[in-house]
Amino acid sequence: MALPSASGGGSTARLLTVPALLLLLSCAALLVFLLLPSPSASSGAHLCACSDPVTTHTTTSVTTTTTAAAPAPIATFPDDVAWLKAQLASNSLALLASADAWHELRKGINPRTRERQLFDLNRHHGISHYPEEEATNHTALPCPGELLVEEHHSNYGEPWAGGRDVFEFLANASALAPRDQVLEIGCGTLRVGLHFIRFLDAGRFHCLEQDELSLMAALRYELPSQGLLYKRPMIVRGGDMDFSKFGDTVMYDLIYSSAAFLHIPRDLVWTGLERLAGKLRPKTGRIFVSHNIKFCTRLGGDECTRRLTELGLEYVGKHTHDSLLFNHYEIWFEFRRPKV
């Protein structure tokens, strides 16, 4: 089929066949395709121009700050006393005026003296108990009844509670820290020592004691019942001022004797000081002796000072402290080692 020319009259007619037209259109389309940019190619070129995709892992770092618990305060402060008085008042617990009034309150609670308590304990053992002998029963640390009823708490010239007073004074006066090393000469049943053992790090409390009953009470009753076995205090039996079992390299931050020097011969006290002077930490270490220092004063002031100087020690001063729970004060004498 041929299409007529658009020109008029006598012009020569030019006919364009259908196949030729199709070929022309195909060529035009191909030309347009080649000249125009391809969207897909452009996109591909754009991706290739970039670096390889990177997978980013975000790690959240959680920092846990462990704050060491502050050591328990040593002293009892006025606000502590005020708090306790408020508790007593809110519970209507007035101070009883007489022994009769005190015993009146004990009615109905099976009141017993220590003597009666010990009698009942030896006879009945306990409300529930195993019938076997102690060697074969379930008691890990068999303890004498006399210790269980705490008869040893009455072996002192003042109440058992006074041990806390001594600890508070000595620990504050020596600026004691839990890591410090402490030696008590004559720790008895640990009336004072328990508070030091609880406060100090494990293994930091040493004691030299000669009395068998006191040692029995300390080791068989006080340490287990107070849950302080893990503190591993070193308690040595001896009365001759022999400190060799504590080691040759130990250095003490505090050495004290509560009334023990009153019962030790003067020459033996000086022997002890001679052996301990080099084990007292210079400048910061302290020695405290309670009640009096007759081992020194009976020599006369000049002679006492001379002997202390020979040992590398010096007298610092005299202190008193009051009891928290009863009408009592105690006297302490302080010594130090001023130089290395």
Side-chain angles (χ1 to χ4, degrees):
M1 177 179 179
L3 294 177
S5 171
S7 56
S11 303
T12 303
R14 293 186 177 88
L15 297 176
L16 187 63
T17 62
V18 172
L21 180 61
L22 293 175
L23 180 61
L24 180 62
L25 292 173
S26 297
C27 290
L30 180 61
L31 181 62
V32 170
F33 178 79
L34 293 175
L35 293 176
L36 293 177
S38 173
S40 60
S42 175
S43 176
H46 177 70
L47 289 175
C48 291
C50 298
S51 60
D52 293 336
V54 178
T55 302
T56 302
H57 299 279
T58 302
T59 302
T60 302
S61 178
V62 179
T63 302
T64 302
T65 302
T66 302
T67 303
I74 294 174
T76 300
F77 295 98
D79 56 339
D80 300 321
V81 175
W83 174 84
L84 182 56
K85 287 183 176 180
Q87 298 301 306
L88 294 171
S90 65
N91 288 287
S92 301
L93 298 174
L95 190 63
L96 299 180
S98 66
D100 291 340
W102 177 263
H103 288 290
E104 183 72 18
L105 295 178
R106 298 180 63 193
K107 287 185 176 179
I109 318 179
N110 190 22
R112 292 178 294 173
T113 62
R114 281 201 173 114
E115 182 180 5
R116 180 65 191 184
Q117 186 180 12
L118 177 60
F119 175 81
D120 291 343
L121 182 63
N122 289 335
R123 184 176 61 173
H124 302 297
H125 300 286
I127 296 176
S128 300
H129 67 275
Y130 298 100
E132 298 92 346
E133 294 296 325
E134 285 189 352
T136 57
N137 68 18
H138 300 254
T139 306
L141 294 171
C143 185
E146 288 80 2
L147 300 180
L148 290 172
V149 300
E150 299 180 343
E151 282 188 348
H152 58 282
H153 284 193
S154 301
N155 290 350
Y156 295 88
E158 58 191 45
W160 180 263
R164 176 70 193 186
D165 299 324
V166 173
F167 164 73
E168 288 190 7
F169 166 73
L170 293 177
N172 278 314
S174 60
L176 198 67
R179 66 181 181 276
D180 289 342
Q181 193 80 46
V182 174
L183 168 67
E184 181 175 4
I185 302 172
C187 60
T189 58
L190 297 179
R191 185 177 72 108
V192 178
L194 283 176
H195 303 284
F196 279 102
I197 294 168
R198 186 177 291 111
F199 175 80
L200 295 169
D201 293 339
R204 294 292 185 172
F205 180 83
H206 291 174
C207 162
L208 185 68
E209 172 59 54
Q210 68 172 345
D211 183 64
E212 182 177 2
L213 176 58
S214 295
L215 289 169
M216 289 275 286
L219 295 172
R220 284 190 170 273
Y221 179 76
E222 293 299 340
L223 288 178
S225 68
Q226 296 293 326
L228 294 174
L229 295 177
Y230 76 101
K231 285 299 186 82
R232 301 293 194 272
M234 188 172 184
I235 300 174
V236 175
R237 184 177 182 179
D240 53 0
M241 293 294 184
D242 181 4
F243 306 102
S244 59
K245 291 185 179 180
F246 299 120
D248 296 330
T249 60
V250 63
M251 294 294 291
Y252 292 108
D253 300 279
L254 172 64
I255 299 171
Y256 71 95
S257 178
S258 179
F261 280 10
L262 300 178
H263 312 291
I264 299 176
R266 183 179 67 188
D267 290 343
L268 188 56
V269 172
W270 282 106
T271 298
L273 291 176
E274 181 180 357
R275 293 172 178 174
L276 289 174
K279 296 180 179 294
L280 183 66
R281 198 173 301 281
K283 298 182 180 180
T284 58
R286 292 292 185 271
I287 296 176
F288 280 92
V289 179
S290 72
H291 292 73
N292 65 59
I293 49 173
K294 291 181 180 179
F295 68 91
C296 195
T297 55
R298 286 181 176 177
L299 296 175
D302 292 340
E303 177 63 16
C304 178
T305 300
R306 185 190 67 79
R307 295 190 66 171
L308 289 172
T309 302
E310 286 182 350
L311 298 178
L313 300 174
E314 73 176 6
Y315 175 65
V316 177
K318 175 182 173 182
H319 309 270
T320 62
H321 75 90
D322 298 329
S323 173
L324 178 67
L325 298 179
F326 60 105
N327 185 6
H328 172 74
Y329 71 89
E330 200 155 303
I331 302 171
W332 288 90
F333 300 87
E334 178 183 359
F335 303 84
R336 69 175 181 176
R337 181 185 176 193
K339 300 178 182 179
V340 178

